Amino acid sequence: GTRDAIEAVLDGQNVRRTLNDLVQRHLLNVSEGKADREYSMNSIVRHFYYDSLSKRERRAMHRRAGEYYEVEEPDEQRAARHFEQAGEHKRAAQLATPNIWTLIDQKVKHS
């Protein structure tokens, strides 16, 4: 996600320096997104980081990410995925289903 999204997930912590350090050490990938740079972890780093968190911490972070993508940087698919990971299945389904034909159309186009 973007730096703003990552800061929201981490409950407002400033992560600029941390992101730059991780990118320089090739532990994060950077790409240009719709609005800003987007950061993603490679699978080894993601698994290591996830293993260091408790289930409660992971769910809280996914909940904050879902809220961010629902309101701040609207992306219903991302929000739904994060709410599903947070264990909020009803909320995830509500976000994922209003535009079901758009989702189906996207899948058909990418097939």
Side-chain angles (χ1 to χ4, degrees):
T2 63
R3 189 177 102 201
D4 289 341
I6 295 166
E7 287 178 351
V9 169
L10 297 176
D11 209 16
Q13 295 178 25
N14 186 324
V15 295
R16 184 177 187 170
R17 179 176 288 147
T18 303
L19 290 174
N20 286 332
D21 290 346
L22 293 172
V23 169
Q24 288 177 0
R25 293 188 309 190
H26 305 286
L27 297 173
L28 281 182
N29 303 313
V30 182
S31 61
E32 289 302 321
K34 295 176 188 175
D36 203 354
R37 287 182 177 179
E38 293 191 2
Y39 301 88
S40 61
M41 293 182 271
N42 66 42
S43 61
I44 294 171
V45 174
R46 184 175 27 248
H47 289 295
F48 174 80
Y49 184 69
Y50 259 53
D51 286 347
S52 71
L53 298 171
S54 70
K55 184 176 183 177
R56 185 180 57 76
E57 290 171 316
R58 285 192 304 269
R59 284 186 168 201
M61 291 174 76
H62 280 293
R63 187 174 303 107
R64 288 192 295 268
E67 291 167 354
Y68 179 85
Y69 286 117
E70 186 177 25
V71 177
E72 300 295 327
E73 191 178 312
D75 185 325
E76 290 174 340
Q77 289 179 338
R78 279 186 175 180
R81 278 195 309 267
H82 284 291
F83 282 127
E84 191 276 326
Q85 291 292 316
E88 295 187 20
H89 304 290
K90 182 177 179 180
R91 197 166 177 186
Q94 289 170 334
L95 285 166
T97 56
N99 298 316
I100 193 71
W101 291 111
T102 303
L103 295 173
I104 291 169
D105 188 44
Q106 287 176 355
K107 292 291 183 183
V108 170
K109 286 180 182 177
H110 290 110
S111 297

